[in-house]
Amino acid sequence: METNILADSRRIHFVGIGGIGVSALAQILHSHGKEISGSDQETSALTEIMSQDGIQILVGHSAENLSKNTELVIHSLAIPDSNPELREARKLHIPILSYPQAVGKLTRQFYTIAISGTHGKSTVTAMITKVLIENGFDPNVIIGTKLSELGNNNFRVGSSKLLVLEACEYMRAFLNYHPRVSVIHTIDSDHLDYYKDFEDYKSAFLEFALKLPRDGHLIVNADDEDIHAIMQHMRKNKFPVYNTIMYGGEYVTADYNLKGDKIYKKNEPVGTLHLSVPGAHNRSNALAAFAVCSFMGIAKKNILKSLNSYGGAFRRFEIKGKIGKTVIIDDYAHHPTEIRATLQAAREKFSKGKICAVFQPHQYSRTRQLLPEFATCFDDADCVIVPNIYAARDSAYDKASVSPQKLVDVISANHKNAHYGDGFDNTLAILRRSASKFTAIITMGAGDVWKIAESLLKK
């Protein structure tokens, strides 16, 4: 029988413990009685919480961080092979797992529902989690954001054998997982710093779908053309069609349809959404959650009750406060499709107001690769300010190939009011002078642009 080193190891050290997913796994294992330590380059709110909970947090990376009593080392995908702690682990012949490999071991211990997709997977995971908790399922959860339903945490330890998992596709991470239910919500070109091209990217989702066991279930967004291509391939490979559940707004033969706010099952009305989070993308997210939770046997009215009281997640159209009458919102949107959806939601909520989008691109490489798409995704904003570009995994070539000003110039070809903010301090000064002109200011990006929203609200 195959051994599970994750289950068998008691003393586990994490390298890059402050990451959103890695920290969740560390805390789950700690709650299971494991002795956990971990290192990162700097402290954060997440590392502070872990430290208070009895997890040893070490700042900086050093071979000395690794105890000789350590039985297993788990590292973030962001950690290079040259890391001194990984080198020391190899020297001491301590087993090493990447974060996805470790989570893959965990998924074998549970009935796992894995939610994937270029966009929306955090929100769909959050919605499913809320419904399951409120209907007595007591799930274990790993999610890439913080939820009020989880005590403002990014994980949950339940007493059941059910695991709800946000499954990221970066570096094919989700191919390490062993779900019984797989959700593919959206497919859109992304992570081209790792994938060769969009075809290579789509192939990862096909592999993810094909990993399901024969009695597994695939739940997919029927409105996405690239998901349809995956389904056609799976039919050719004789994947049992009866194990597929489809949902969508436009695809008429889907199992679940959304027309406006009304949900239909096989063309029969089953209920109405009254979401407090705005936007067509959130109604699509809710339909995905509805399909999953219906499959889990939860009564339709109970699903709707939970979804309609869903208040959102950390950095997902998160209302931070007000400056006078101006609402300050922070959002994780960093891909053109996400930006367009977030601004559409803002326009839906503030139909007659003026909206200022403060957008910080995440990665020079992504900015260069998606420059034409970034140029046309700000139509619902009255003003666009780009303070800087957040560097992550970028080469010297990437940084030389594009600049904040170049992005602003491209946006300006389609938008009459786009500006380079020239750093956080200058952007803050601009916003403080002009805040009263706007109904809402939205900071957007996967980097540290949230600091601008928080600084605006400081007295």
Side-chain angles (χ1 to χ4, degrees):
M1 180 180 290
E2 181 185 357
T3 59
N4 189 331
I5 192 170
L6 188 72
D8 296 339
S9 300
R10 175 169 172 75
R11 296 180 181 88
I12 304 175
H13 180 74
F14 284 81
V15 187
I17 197 170
I20 192 74
V22 180
S23 63
L25 178 62
Q27 291 173 94
I28 285 175
L29 296 179
H30 179 67
S31 72
H32 288 168
K34 308 287 188 181
E35 189 177 310
I36 304 296
S37 62
S39 63
D40 218 313
Q41 286 290 72
E42 57 186 22
T43 59
S44 66
L46 284 172
T47 60
E48 287 296 323
I49 290 170
M50 287 186 282
S51 180
Q52 291 169 12
D53 200 33
I55 294 176
Q56 182 186 18
I57 301 296
L58 302 157
V59 179
H61 296 296
S62 167
E64 295 177 356
N65 289 344
L66 207 61
S67 164
K68 290 183 180 180
N69 294 324
T70 300
E71 298 169 49
L72 175 64
V73 170
I74 298 172
H75 66 90
S76 159
L77 287 178
I79 301 298
D81 285 341
S82 59
N83 179 276
E85 293 166 43
L86 296 187
R87 289 204 306 264
E88 184 70 5
R90 289 191 287 268
K91 177 183 173 183
L92 296 174
H93 303 290
I94 298 171
I96 300 171
L97 295 175
S98 69
Y99 164 73
Q101 288 172 333
V103 173
K105 302 284 187 186
L106 191 69
T107 60
R108 288 190 180 276
Q109 301 175 37
F110 293 91
Y111 183 97
T112 299
I113 302 172
I115 298 93
S116 74
T118 313
H119 316 299
K121 57 183 173 287
S122 291
T123 299
V124 175
T125 306
M127 288 177 166
I128 291 169
T129 294
K130 184 177 188 295
V131 177
L132 291 173
I133 290 172
E134 292 178 355
N135 287 277
F137 277 74
D138 199 14
N140 300 271
V141 180
I142 296 178
I143 184 171
T145 186
K146 294 185 286 186
L147 287 181
S148 59
E149 288 81 8
L150 305 184
N152 215 26
N153 286 314
N154 56 336
F155 74 100
R156 184 178 193 271
V157 178
S159 62
S160 73
K161 295 301 290 182
L162 176 64
L163 172 64
V164 181
L165 172 65
E166 180 178 339
C168 180
E169 74 279 11
Y170 180 62
M171 293 182 73
R172 289 183 158 83
F174 58 1
L175 300 186
N176 291 279
Y177 307 154
H178 304 278
R180 299 293 296 279
V181 178
S182 293
V183 181
I184 304 179
H185 187 45
T186 53
I187 300 179
D188 198 358
S189 184
D190 202 6
H191 296 305
L192 297 181
D193 59 321
Y194 169 78
Y195 290 99
K196 291 184 293 185
D197 50 33
F198 187 38
E199 290 303 315
D200 186 33
Y201 182 75
K202 286 188 289 186
S203 74
F205 284 91
L206 173 60
E207 288 182 68
F208 176 65
L210 290 172
K211 277 184 65 68
L212 278 168
R214 300 300 290 180
D215 62 346
H217 285 77
L218 182 65
I219 301 179
V220 298
N221 183 353
D223 289 336
D224 191 300
E225 292 181 6
D226 294 303
I227 294 176
H228 271 287
I230 285 176
M231 296 304 300
Q232 288 173 1
H233 184 98
M234 293 184 75
R235 288 189 183 96
K236 288 179 183 177
N237 283 273
K238 296 183 169 47
F239 181 88
V241 176
Y242 58 82
N243 281 4
T244 302
I245 298 169
M246 306 182 82
Y247 61 89
E250 300 173 9
Y251 193 66
V252 293
T253 60
D255 298 278
Y256 295 95
N257 286 108
L258 184 65
K259 300 175 183 178
D261 289 328
K262 295 188 181 301
I263 295 177
Y264 293 79
K265 180 179 181 180
K266 299 294 187 182
N267 296 319
E268 292 293 325
V270 294
T272 305
L273 290 172
H274 299 289
L275 299 179
S276 61
V277 288
H281 66 298
N282 276 321
R283 291 187 283 276
S284 176
N285 294 337
L287 183 63
F290 188 94
V292 172
C293 294
S294 293
F295 166 74
M296 294 298 291
I298 302 173
K300 309 297 185 288
K301 65 177 183 179
N302 292 343
I303 300 173
L304 287 167
K305 182 180 179 182
S306 292
L307 290 176
N308 287 334
S309 61
Y310 173 74
F314 174 69
R315 300 215 65 218
R316 270 65 176 181
F317 209 84
E318 183 182 8
I319 295 177
K320 305 290 290 185
K322 285 186 175 184
I323 301 177
K325 295 182 178 180
T326 305
V327 181
I328 308 300
I329 299 167
D330 183 50
D331 196 273
Y332 190 71
H334 57 283
H335 185 284
T337 301
E338 296 166 353
I339 294 165
R340 188 176 290 108
T342 297
L343 291 175
Q344 180 271 327
R347 181 54 61 202
E348 183 178 294
K349 187 173 181 67
F350 308 107
S351 58
K352 297 181 180 179
K354 289 189 176 295
I355 298 166
C356 176
V358 182
F359 172 58
Q360 180 193 53
H362 186 262
Q363 295 184 293
Y364 284 81
S365 59
R366 181 186 277 117
T367 306
R368 182 189 73 249
Q369 290 156 347
L370 300 180
L371 203 58
E373 290 86 350
F374 280 124
T376 58
C377 65
F378 291 95
D379 290 351
D380 279 313
D382 298 281
C383 173
V384 182
I385 302 176
V386 178
N388 65 351
I389 296 176
Y390 187 90
R393 307 187 298 271
D394 288 306
S395 66
Y397 168 76
D398 293 328
K399 292 177 180 179
S401 66
V402 71
S403 67
Q405 185 62 62
K406 183 174 181 179
L407 174 60
V408 168
D409 291 343
V410 170
I411 295 171
S412 295
N414 300 280
H415 200 291
K416 63 182 180 181
N417 196 10
H419 311 276
Y420 173 36
D422 195 17
F424 276 19
D425 290 344
N426 192 55
T427 299
L428 276 166
I430 294 169
L431 291 170
R432 286 182 177 128
R433 289 195 302 267
S434 60
S436 61
K437 298 178 183 178
F438 300 106
T439 308
I441 295 173
I442 308 175
T443 54
M444 293 190 292
D448 59 357
V449 70
W450 55 268
K451 294 178 180 178
I452 290 180
E454 295 203 348
S455 296
L456 278 172
L457 292 166
K458 288 180 180 176
K459 293 184 180 179

